[in-house]
Amino acid sequence: MPIFDFQCQDCGKSFDKMLSYMDKDKVHCPECDSSNLKQLLSSFNTTRGGTKTNKLPGPDSCGGCSNSGCPMRF
């Protein structure tokens, strides 16, 4: 089941919730109970073989390419 990140547009609280895709429109803010929420962009990991975690490339896992125009270069 995916984890979705939200921010309440009424009180500003950010929070995450594990729920099915079909239920994400039924979420309420845990602080003020508002349903006026904005879904935030979340990063994610994938697991293969049950134990190995593959993360998206980032500053500490970049291959160190020399291309200065590379979008993965920080």
Side-chain angles (χ1 to χ4, degrees), residues 1-25:
M1 202 174 293
I3 298 174
F4 294 95
D5 293 322
F6 297 95
Q7 182 173 35
C8 180
Q9 298 298 287
D10 292 336
C11 73
K13 179 163 180 73
S14 294
F15 62 97
D16 56 48
K17 197 90 165 159
M18 186 184 320
L19 53 116
S20 72
Y21 182 80
M22 294 176 65
D23 291 336
K24 73 178 190 168
D25 294 330

Side-chain angles (χ1 to χ4, degrees), residues 25-61:
D25 294 330
K26 301 174 186 173
V27 176
H28 290 256
C29 175
E31 188 73 27
C32 70
D33 202 38
S34 172
S35 61
N36 185 16
L37 305 175
K38 177 181 178 182
Q39 184 178 343
L40 303 174
L41 181 62
S42 307
S43 63
F44 62 91
N45 289 331
T46 59
T47 304
R48 194 173 12 165
T51 58
K52 185 177 179 183
T53 301
N54 299 311
K55 294 183 179 181
L56 292 174
D60 56 352
S61 63

